[in-house]
Amino acid sequence: QLRLVESGGGSVQAGGSLTLSCAASGYPMEYFYFAWFRRTPGTGRDGVACISINGSERSYGLFVKGRFTISRDDAKKTVYLQMDNLQPEDTGIYYCTADRAFCWGTMDEGQGTQVTVSS
């Protein structure tokens, strides 16, 4: 089981950028898929992005529309979510997950970090 701790959230104006980090500990992260989800007031839970074990495959929610990029650095034991052109509807709690079998799996979850976008 991995322990996941997110950071990097904050408040930005529409059009701004944030980079979220998810630090993994407790087990070698190279055995896991990772994903970012978010909980928003309007839509509940959304799958934001996921990345394969070797980092070669990435998948994004339809609402991302090319604005976000997921990446991983196994040496630093960290997964990142670069978010550009943020909009008010992106406001929510962003959390990362890890899974041994599925890109969008949620075997382990972090507590999340708040992202607030003002218009």
Side-chain angles (χ1 to χ4, degrees):
Q1 184 176 0
L2 285 182
R3 180 172 181 260
L4 304 172
V5 179
E6 301 89 343
S7 61
S11 297
V12 297
Q13 291 189 327
S17 298
L18 285 173
T19 299
L20 306 183
S21 299
C22 172
S25 62
Y27 206 83
M29 66 177 280
E30 53 262 38
Y31 296 106
F32 293 83
Y33 296 87
F34 288 89
W36 286 95
F37 288 84
R38 70 184 188 185
R39 289 189 291 268
T40 66
T43 61
R45 188 175 86 163
D46 300 316
V48 179
C50 76
I51 188 166
S52 62
I53 289 176
N54 63 4
S56 63
E57 296 181 14
R58 307 172 191 193
S59 181
Y60 296 92
L62 292 177
F63 61 88
V64 171
K65 298 179 181 178
R67 300 179 297 136
F68 300 171
T69 302
I70 188 172
S71 61
R72 62 188 291 163
D73 187 335
D74 289 3
K76 294 183 178 179
K77 299 182 180 181
T78 303
V79 180
Y80 303 97
L81 183 67
Q82 172 69 39
M83 302 188 294
D84 298 315
N85 192 22
L86 284 160
Q87 299 300 314
E89 54 266 32
D90 294 317
T91 294
I93 298 173
Y94 287 69
Y95 61 100
C96 66
T97 68
D99 197 277
R100 293 289 296 267
F102 304 106
C103 199
W104 293 106
T106 57
M107 184 174 71
D108 298 306
E109 296 185 10
Q111 293 299 307
T113 185
Q114 176 71 43
V115 172
T116 302
V117 186
S118 59
S119 57

